Each structure stands twice: as structure tokens, then as C-alpha cells.
Amino acid sequence: MEVQGKQIGFLEVTRYKFKYIGNNPKIIIEQIKVLDIEGNYIKFAKLKEIEPFLSKFEIHFKPLNDA
């Protein structure tokens, strides 16, 4: 799949937090970065736009201390 003429390599969740909802731990995703196959930035994506494609790409989480 291509975005802005570049092949998508993977997604990086850059801002997220853990929260308990109904006594169940959840990951709240605030920001997702789209990177090409070489790891170069393409764009930030809105979760509602990228949600149908989440299972098609490798997803990395930026360490929380850097987020």
C-alpha cells in the first residue's frame, strides 16, 4: 500500500497511555506515525483513517518514557 507515493513499511504508535476502564487495562492510542519500508516518516495518521489497515502492517510502540 502506498501513501504520498511511498510504500508503507510499518506504523509507530508515538503517543499512548494505559488506563483502566471497567477494571480492565486498556491502551489508549493518541497518535500513529506512518513510516516507509526504510523507517522514514511519511505522515501522522488519524486512527479512524488507519483502523481498517492495522492488521495489515507491523506496529511498533515508542517507549513510554520517550512518548
Side-chain angles (χ1 to χ4, degrees), residues 4 7 40 51 54:
Q4 298 178 356
Q7 185 68 30
N40 297 316
E51 188 270 331
L54 287 176

Side-chain angles (χ1 to χ4, degrees), residues 28-57:
I28 309 300
I29 296 173
E30 297 176 354
Q31 189 173 54
I32 297 178
K33 188 179 352 178
V34 181
L35 300 141
D36 68 13
I37 55 176
E38 295 175 0
N40 297 316
Y41 169 84
I42 297 175
K43 67 179 273 181
F44 283 100
K46 293 182 179 172
L47 188 55
K48 65 181 180 181
E49 294 172 351
I50 199 86
E51 188 270 331
F53 308 104
L54 287 176
S55 64
K56 299 182 187 315
F57 297 102

